[in-house]
Amino acid sequence: MEFRQARIKDIDGIKALLRKYHRDTISDEDRPDGFVTTAITDEQLTELIEKEDGVTIIAEPSESGPDRVLGFCFAAPWEFWSAWPLFRHMIDIIPEYEFEGEKLVLSDTYQYGPMCVDRSIRGTGAFEKLFFTSLHQFKDRFPIMLTFVNQINKRSENAHTNKAHMQTIGTFDFGGNHYYLMGIRTDYSE
Ligand SMILES: CC(C)(COP(=O)(O)OP(=O)(O)OC[C@H]1O[C@@H](n2cnc3c(N)ncnc32)[C@H](O)[C@@H]1OP(=O)(O)O)[C@@H](O)C(=O)NCCC(=O)NCCS
């Protein structure tokens, strides 16, 4: 398995994994272990890869065709995310929160997520490796990474707290859902 930045040729694999674990298309069997709610168009995914270098993947190389994508996470500056209502709300409220005793400054931060790991490799350490590969990719651009976790997604909350060592900064509500706002320094080392 390789942990690397995605290229345009990986888009079909990323979309296949997103379809498998998206709220609208996930199987009933997989639903209790969490699902992705953010939708992304082909144009947005292309921009995320080409302009932001913001997609980190777990790729299983194949001799006969494109690599199989077994995990992905997205990350980008807030300008990119401002097309989504949830992220516009986060942009508005982030300056109200403190991280490690200091007021958050939007321009010091970027947003990571959604992320997804194929069921076949969950709980194996693959999530942590994917997470830290993405985090360190942004180390020279921003000091702090922020994300949101839906409070009903306990598996994601536990993974980000216990495996990724993210801190819960606060909570917020949007669209009838309850979220944790979480953060971590990009120079964090395990
Ligand atoms: C979220 C996700 C990336 C985490 O990766 P993972 O490999 O499953 O994470 P891990 O198994 O290493 O860690 C999950 C933790 O939650 C625990 N856990 C597992 N199932 C759980 C459940 N139903 N409720 C609460 N905790 C649970 C695990 O035991 C583990 O904690 P522990 O090791 O301290 O015991 C992965 O589960 C996933 O892709 N889920 C579907 C998509 C999704 O929900 N994405 C997040 C929202 S965008």
Side-chain angles (χ1 to χ4, degrees):
M1 280 189 304
E2 286 175 5
F3 294 75
R4 62 169 173 82
Q5 294 309 104
R7 298 186 283 273
I8 294 300
K9 69 180 173 59
D10 299 309
I11 282 184
D12 286 346
I14 295 164
K15 282 169 61 182
L17 192 64
L18 182 57
R19 249 190 326 272
K20 195 170 169 188
Y21 296 113
H22 192 276
R23 177 188 51 199
D24 300 342
T25 38
I26 193 170
S27 68
D28 290 342
E29 188 194 350
D30 285 331
R31 197 175 287 272
D33 281 321
F35 46 82
V36 176
T37 50
T38 308
I40 190 162
T41 66
D42 288 3
E43 291 72 26
Q44 287 165 329
L45 193 50
T46 301
E47 186 185 338
L48 189 57
I49 292 171
E50 284 190 329
K51 280 207 192 140
E52 305 294 348
D53 197 14
V55 182
T56 308
I57 59 169
I58 305 172
E60 190 172 64
S62 153
E63 306 229 319
S64 55
D67 291 357
R68 192 169 158 225
V69 176
L70 291 177
F72 66 74
C73 64
F74 300 163
W78 291 104
E79 300 83 70
F80 174 81
W81 296 116
S82 61
W84 284 259
L86 168 64
F87 296 125
R88 279 202 298 278
H89 178 69
M90 289 178 74
I91 289 168
D92 286 343
I93 62 169
I94 277 163
E96 297 168 13
Y97 293 84
E98 283 187 4
F99 179 63
E100 295 183 342
E102 286 186 33
K103 278 256 178 224
L104 280 171
V105 176
L106 203 59
S107 57
D108 285 346
T109 72
Y110 70 103
Q111 204 288 133
Y112 142 100
M115 82 300 305
C116 195
V117 171
D118 191 84
R119 190 188 185 101
S120 62
I121 56 164
R122 289 192 194 154
T124 64
F127 164 73
E128 293 93 303
K129 237 173 142 181
L130 176 69
F131 178 90
F132 284 107
T133 303
S134 170
L135 188 75
H136 295 149
Q137 179 73 21
F138 278 76
K139 194 165 63 177
D140 296 333
R141 294 173 69 187
F142 298 96
I144 297 167
M145 178 269 262
L146 298 176
T147 194
F148 68 100
V149 173
N150 193 316
Q151 290 181 22
I152 61 169
N153 195 341
K154 291 294 169 201
R155 184 166 191 138
S156 180
E157 180 194 341
N158 283 337
H160 285 93
T161 304
N162 302 328
K163 306 288 172 68
H165 307 289
M166 291 197 76
Q167 299 178 45
T168 300
I169 295 174
T171 60
F172 67 95
D173 296 340
F174 185 77
N177 293 307
H178 308 296
Y179 296 98
Y180 294 114
L181 175 66
M182 304 184 89
I184 189 170
R185 293 206 165 270
T186 51
D187 61 3
Y188 183 93
S189 57
E190 290 166 280

